[in-house]
Amino acid sequence: MILGLSIFVMLLSVLLVLLVLMHKGKGGGLSDMFGGGVTSSLGGSSVVERNLDRMTIGIAITWIVTIVILGLLINRGM
């Protein structure tokens, strides 16, 4: 059980990193320093951004719940 949850947490972690990297930069961050500040009017739809936000939040909540369950299982020694 613990091994399965650990693998699931690792997969969720990679997916969460990829989803965060897919977000469009809001400006003023490190991406602007290295040439990411060039914006395009064809950049992306607000519907796509909203769906990406929802997916990221859903994966983050799942990640947090899984971490808590894994911590409880490890603490109990199962």
Side-chain angles (χ1 to χ4, degrees):
M1 181 82 166
I2 291 176
L3 178 63
L5 280 176
S6 297
I7 293 171
F8 186 62
V9 166
M10 286 187 265
L11 291 174
L12 284 177
S13 299
V14 171
L15 184 60
L16 190 59
V17 167
L18 292 176
L19 285 173
V20 168
L21 289 175
M22 286 174 57
H23 279 83
K24 189 167 76 169
K26 302 294 185 208
L30 286 176
S31 63
D32 287 343
M33 250 197 277
F34 298 110
V38 178
T39 59
S40 170
S41 62
L42 303 174
S45 172
S46 62
V47 174
V48 173
E49 282 292 322
R50 261 186 281 149
N51 288 336
L52 187 60
D53 288 341
R54 289 177 185 151
M55 284 176 47
T56 305
I57 291 170
I59 295 295
I61 290 171
T62 306
W63 184 82
I64 290 169
V65 169
T66 308
I67 289 289
V68 169
I69 292 171
L70 186 61
L72 290 173
L73 286 176
I74 290 174
N75 194 22
R76 290 186 180 181
M78 297 180 110

